[in-house]
Amino acid sequence: MSTEGKSNNGDHLLQTPEQNHGLPRSRKLSPVRKLAQTRKLKDRRNVKEDENPEEKAQRHKEQELKPLYRELLYTIMHTMGRPSSAEAFTDKQLHQFIKEAFTMSESEHNSLMERVKSTEPPVYCLMVTVKEAKEILGKDVSGFSDPYCLLTILENEQESRTRQNKAKISKSVVRDATSRDKIYETDIKKQTLNPIWNQSYTLEFEDISATFHLEMWDKDEEVSLSQKLEEIKSNFTSLKRMLKDAKKEKGTDDFLGNVILNLQDLHCAEDNWYNLEPRTETYPDRGKCHLNLKFIHKTRDETLSPGRDAYTNYCGILQQFVQAYISKQSSVPWRGELCGEAQVLLELYATQNDLSPFLQDLAKWVAYSKLYQSLEVDSSVLFQQLTSIEYHWHQQKLPHQQKQELGDSLHGFLQYGLSLVAKYRDIFPPTHTATPRLHTLLRILVQICKTQAFQKLNPAQFELHDEVTDAVQTGTQEWFTIKKGLHQPMTKDKAEIGSALLRLIGEVQEDMKHNKDVWNRVFVSAVQVDVFTVIYQKFDSLLATEVRGTLSLFKGCMDQSLASSLFPIYLSLQAIHKDKAFLQKRGYLELTNLHEEFRDALPYWLNQAFSTTQDRVERAVQVDQLQPLQCGAVPVKHSSSAVDLVACVQPICRLWEQLSWPDPEEAFLLMVKLTEDVCKIVVNYCHALKERVRVLSENSDHGRAINMLCVVVNDLEHLRTVLSRIPTQLNWKGLQDRTQSIIGENQFNNTLPAQLQQAKSLLGREIRSALDTLGKQLNTDIETHVRSMSTRQRLPSKSSEDAAAPLMRYLEQELHYMNEVLVQENFSSLLTPLWKNSLQILHQEWIQHQQQKGLMVFSQRLLYTLQCLQQCFHAEGNGLLLETLHSEEYTTLKDDLTENALSSQQLLEKFYERKIWEQFVCLSVTERAHRREIRCSHPPHILQTVRPKASG
């Protein structure tokens, strides 16, 4: 039965022209096809739009559903063979199922059933395809056979009579016979034990109780004597077979085996290997024959669905079954499954109407691909159908009408998929559930383009990579236009215009982030399209045009307020421009030189940063109580204003990074300005801090004032450390590398470092001034203690230890306090002048008391005090170094105090020791020997008074 027919009734399964309206670039259609689509569109528009829904549904049932329903009733009524499903269904169960699937009432069902019963029954046929055989018997002298097959169907009476008479099937050849009880003969395959036929025959029958017979024979043909002798010479083993054949009558064929099958035991379609059975026990193993058997209807009643072919009906039935199944399921994606009744009916209808597997898979692809456009369908369904179509494309041929339908369906789904790709932002948001669906869609598009069917049926050049790129660009343009409309300013106010542009750029930034982090992986893995690069280049052009157009409105009217509103726009554009590092292909980008449009606003940005930072610094100093901060268990020795100052200066440094000004020469001038502002803020902070100390010291005691002064010194030292990190934070080295061809090294070093050094010098002077103030107070107290220790009335009453004890306790207390409240740099800076002043105080006291009585005792006290001071300032290596302590003033004072602290006897001994040693050094070796002789003759008590203590 021919499967070609009109397919116009199946157009409801294909995409309509309305669905393709406004889609990305597609295949060019011929004028004829354009006209056909135009006619379809007009026909659909001519349908009454105000038609009652109930009337429309009833018309659909009469024109579409009832013809299909009659076809199914006819199929059930004239069923032959068992379905392949393991589950069996009665006619009643099948009737109940189709009533529910087609929403037919009981009366409608009965009416349609009566009509089907009155139709002409079909001609029952068994379509047999003899494919091949293997390992059959070799009947010829050569060891091979010339096999052919005889096929027929025998009714019960004929079968009984045949068995009784043991007669063989007549071997008369009847080709293309249409009457029943005819014998069909295959071609003869020469000299083989594994013949291949692939020949099909349609055998009619009336009763399903009949049997199918296939007999395989070896064709016996007369051979010349010379050929026989030649075979004997070449193969002596065939001599015995030749002698056996000589006993047969010439022209008698050899029986190779048969296959006998009861029709009522067969499935509606089978494809199996069957054993060739012998008539006797001789040679029981005779090989196998591969048969494809299928029950079909011939001359099926055409009044069931007039004007429709079997393929179109199959498509309609399939769609109705799928819709009925999905309507009963939950919201989970449909995975292509159908209930058992639907599968059985589809199989029976396709078999009875001899629909090839290719046509069945084509119908499923058309239905499922259209269903994918309206419901959520699991991707495996479409993948499976594409794989089947690709397999059948190499195995079978489609009728011309179905070829065109397949080509249109594949191309239509591609265009539908590309339309979804163009709107991927809205349809597949960046979530863990939506992005896999986008990946699946792209893989389906790739699979379609890979199929031979698409490549043959769509000869026009179709590059999926380019089509996806075009769709993404088109979708990006549409998305940008929509967002621009949503953020359109309501008024012509400059601030509102800038705010609208900023909101639009923010939308673009968020979209680019999603493309980079989520969607790009999907597109690259599926279709090798770097979607981030595609949308970035598109946004680069769109934003540059939009920003230039907006900023052109502000020419000549720049002020601080407007500049402030433009700064976030500049930062957003800079952030977008930095994302160019993620591009796979880099070309010219319009955002590269967009900074030029903001040049008029740059001075306002710098002034605002400076004034804002200055105000914050002043407020920080005004609320500072000049007390060390506490950070957990570790004390912080500077106050809150120092911390706030660092936090306030950091935004200026961050401003440099945010601007990232591309022009090298302008960037250098910008750095000079920023460095100058930082130094100016530091200087102003010093002045404000000194004023704060003066205000807080007016009503404070002396100790409180000393504490505040220590905190101020620490604040300034902390600030000097912060200034030392400015070159690194502002990346002077990188700027110098960028500007080395424009700004000379000397000019660079004489500008920026000089500015910084000037500010650090100011801090150093302020620190020294504060330390001098602290040192003066300590020096005054040390001088008081030294004078109290050296009072004459107290000389005989106390020992040196007791006299120096008050001074040492004071120093220990004060230095311990200073070590706790001052940072290490300032504490070391305080100790050095304090040590020098202490030496001067001791030296002055020594000078004043040289002419007074009790000089020896006084010198001993001062010497002891000097030794204690050395130990105090050295602090076992934690204070000043010994090299710093043992200055020239220290050595001189120590020597003077040491000599004056000796008694008269000790002085004489020391005097004689020095003199004798001087003489000893100056004498020659001979004189030394002579002197030793003289000295030996003197009394021992004289030598004892002049002998030096030092050896050698």
Side-chain angles (χ1 to χ4, degrees), residues 288-552:
K288 295 182 178 181
C289 184
H290 188 188
L291 300 178
N292 181 276
L293 307 173
K294 181 165 58 174
F295 289 110
I296 65 172
H297 286 172
K298 194 174 182 180
T299 63
R300 191 179 175 101
D301 195 314
E302 297 181 356
T303 63
L304 298 172
S305 55
R308 297 170 179 262
D309 65 347
Y311 170 75
T312 303
N313 289 332
Y314 183 86
C315 293
I317 294 171
L318 174 64
Q319 184 181 23
Q320 192 65 26
F321 284 171
V322 171
Q323 291 177 352
Y325 182 86
I326 293 179
S327 63
K328 297 180 180 180
Q329 302 303 312
S330 60
S331 58
V332 297
W334 183 60
R335 301 182 181 276
E337 63 270 12
L338 290 172
C339 62
E341 295 89 339
Q343 295 178 15
V344 167
L345 289 172
L346 287 172
E347 181 183 6
L348 290 175
Y349 185 84
T351 304
Q352 293 175 10
N353 290 274
D354 193 21
L355 290 179
S356 66
F358 200 172
L359 288 176
Q360 295 178 48
D361 287 329
L362 172 60
K364 291 178 181 178
W365 160 255
V366 173
Y368 297 169
S369 61
K370 187 177 184 299
L371 188 64
Y372 184 90
Q373 302 175 28
S374 58
L375 298 174
E376 189 173 358
V377 177
D378 190 88
S379 60
S380 60
V381 177
L382 298 183
F383 278 120
Q384 180 180 357
Q385 298 309 317
L386 286 173
T387 303
S388 298
I389 289 175
E390 182 71 1
Y391 170 76
H392 292 308
W393 184 262
H394 298 282
Q395 305 294 326
Q396 304 176 26
K397 290 185 178 181
L398 276 179
H400 174 74
Q401 196 73 18
Q402 276 68 42
K403 277 187 178 181
Q404 183 178 357
E405 183 178 9
L406 175 58
D408 292 343
S409 177
L410 292 176
H411 195 272
F413 189 86
L414 272 176
Q415 297 308 312
Y416 170 75
L418 291 174
S419 70
L420 298 185
V421 171
K423 298 176 176 60
Y424 70 94
R425 294 173 174 86
D426 301 322
I427 300 176
F428 306 104
T431 61
H432 68 281
T433 56
T435 51
R437 293 191 290 112
L438 173 60
H439 187 267
T440 297
L441 172 64
L442 294 173
R443 286 184 57 213
I444 293 174
L445 301 184
V446 172
Q447 190 67 22
I448 289 176
C449 294
K450 286 182 177 180
T451 59
Q452 290 291 326
F454 177 79
Q455 295 173 8
K456 295 294 184 181
L457 299 175
N458 294 272
Q461 190 67 22
F462 191 96
E463 294 292 340
L464 182 61
H465 183 279
D466 297 339
E467 294 290 338
V468 171
T469 301
D470 291 347
V472 170
Q473 290 178 341
T474 303
T476 301
Q477 175 72 62
E478 294 175 355
W479 180 89
F480 185 84
T481 302
I482 294 174
K483 294 298 181 181
K484 179 182 176 181
L486 292 176
H487 297 292
Q488 194 72 20
M490 303 300 295
T491 64
K492 293 184 178 180
D493 181 68
K494 292 183 291 185
E496 178 62 24
I497 294 175
S499 178
L501 178 59
L502 180 61
R503 293 194 298 271
L504 177 60
I505 296 175
E507 293 272 12
V508 172
Q509 280 185 289
E510 184 179 5
D511 182 75
M512 292 178 64
K513 183 179 184 300
H514 292 324
N515 275 280
K516 181 179 65 176
D517 298 339
V518 181
W519 287 315
N520 196 61
R521 294 195 300 268
V522 177
F523 278 90
V524 170
S525 62
V527 288
Q528 288 74 51
V529 173
D530 182 17
V531 73
F532 176 73
T533 299
V534 174
I535 65 104
Y536 186 93
Q537 293 173 344
K538 191 65 177 179
F539 280 139
D540 177 77
S541 175
L542 294 172
L543 286 178
T545 303
E546 190 69 22
V547 171
R548 289 193 179 98
T550 302
L551 295 183
S552 64

Side-chain angles (χ1 to χ4, degrees), residues 571-608:
L571 294 183
S572 298
L573 293 175
Q574 283 294 100
I576 292 175
H577 186 59
K578 289 179 180 178
D579 282 341
K580 68 181 183 297
F582 299 97
L583 298 179
Q584 295 296 326
K585 297 179 180 179
R586 298 187 186 180
Y588 173 76
L589 298 175
E590 296 187 37
L591 292 179
T592 303
N593 298 321
L594 205 61
H595 67 282
E596 298 176 355
E597 305 294 332
F598 295 88
R599 187 176 284 113
D600 294 341
L602 183 59
Y604 295 94
W605 296 345
L606 298 178
N607 292 335
Q608 183 179 15

